Amino acid sequence: SYVLTQPPSVSVAPGKTARITCGGNNIGRKSVHWYQQKPGQAPVLVVYDDSDRPSGIPERFSGSNSGNTATLTISRVEAGDEADYYCQVWDSNNDHYVFGTGTKVTVL
Amino acid sequence: EVQLVESGGGLVQPGGSLRLSCVASGFSVSSYWMHWVRQAPGKGLVWVSRIKSDGSSTTYADSVKGRFTISRDNAKNTLYLQMNSLRAEDTAVYYCARHRPYLDYWGQGALVTVSS
């Protein structure tokens, strides 16, 4: 089955840039979606189809995908961005949906 | 406004059954594929199951295949997850979500606890 690997944690100072990676075999050939989850809340879609943003999501959130790594970038990080972030793809080989292991973003 | 509201969670003994419901508002479930996703306490998101808009096709994670059944009642605008032969490792918050094919709207979740 397809596996997506994320770093367990990323720490970033306010106003700086956080980059969260999502590694998978030839992930660049897939569409990657990213979700933000704050404690006690349901996940929220922040980037879809590698780099598109849903309405209401700040431009500070951006995504890219190439080769074996997809990346979610959060620019000008704010305290409110502190959350868990998950990448997700569709595994066409078995028609399953796969989430990454999740990354906890801490704002220093 | 699009909303998804889960219900039916609770405490069940190992080997028991439970049915979760997810009532949709602001859109028609008959027009969208729908998913169930779960999250064990302190753990990450895990996809459980998906059903297509016409109900003709379903798919399940290997960990629940043969035990869980996803279904929908378009007249009630409701998605279901029938869970049988429950195990301790099925303990989790269960979310329903709408497929776009990304998951654009999620419910608030229903807690299922499997314990004796």
Side-chain angles (χ1 to χ4, degrees):
Chain A
S1 60
Y2 196 77
V3 176
L4 294 175
T5 302
Q6 299 180 233
S9 62
V10 167
S11 298
V12 58
K16 301 299 185 182
T17 298
R19 293 180 179 85
I20 304 162
T21 59
C22 175
N25 186 38
N26 289 318
I27 194 173
R29 299 181 183 178
K30 299 180 181 295
S31 289
V32 180
H33 318 303
W34 291 90
Y35 305 88
Q36 175 195 69
Q37 186 181 34
K38 296 182 179 179
Q41 298 184 18
V44 172
L45 179 72
V46 292
V47 166
Y48 65 95
D49 292 347
D50 297 340
S51 58
D52 291 332
R53 273 187 317 277
S55 61
I57 300 300
E59 291 183 6
R60 301 184 297 104
F61 288 83
S62 62
S64 63
N65 184 20
S66 178
N68 292 315
T69 304
T71 303
L72 174 70
T73 301
I74 311 173
S75 304
R76 302 181 299 283
V77 166
E78 302 175 356
D81 299 331
E82 193 163 275
D84 295 325
Y85 291 83
Y86 297 89
C87 56
Q88 179 253 314
V89 301
W90 175 55
D91 180 4
S92 59
N93 286 335
N94 58 11
D95 194 18
H96 283 187
Y97 297 77
V98 182
F99 285 94
T101 50
T103 298
K104 180 177 181 59
V105 170
T106 299
V107 180
L108 302 171
Chain B
E1 179 190 8
V2 171
Q3 277 196 321
L4 295 166
V5 179
E6 300 95 337
S7 61
L11 175 63
V12 61
Q13 291 188 338
S17 298
L18 211 57
R19 188 178 81 159
L20 301 181
S21 300
C22 169
V23 178
S25 57
F27 74 101
S28 175
V29 295
S30 62
S31 300
Y32 291 85
W33 298 10
M34 298 291 294
H35 295 255
W36 288 99
V37 176
R38 70 184 182 183
Q39 186 171 37
K43 303 297 185 181
L45 300 174
V46 175
W47 173 78
V48 172
S49 182
R50 181 222 69 211
I51 186 168
K52 290 189 176 181
S53 52
D54 62 2
S56 64
S57 173
T58 58
T59 181
Y60 299 90
D62 293 345
S63 58
V64 306
K65 192 171 185 178
R67 301 187 299 123
F68 289 13
T69 302
I70 189 172
S71 63
R72 63 203 302 156
D73 184 332
N74 292 337
K76 294 184 177 180
N77 216 27
T78 300
L79 176 74
Y80 299 103
L81 186 67
Q82 177 67 43
M83 304 182 292
N84 299 331
S85 303
L86 283 162
R87 308 166 180 167
E89 54 265 36
D90 296 317
T91 293
V93 173
Y94 285 74
Y95 297 98
C96 61
R98 190 176 78 168
H99 172 107
R100 285 301 304 276
Y102 40 88
L103 304 183
D104 64 344
Y105 284 96
W106 298 61
Q108 86 289 349
L111 176 62
V112 173
T113 303
V114 184
S115 175
S116 54

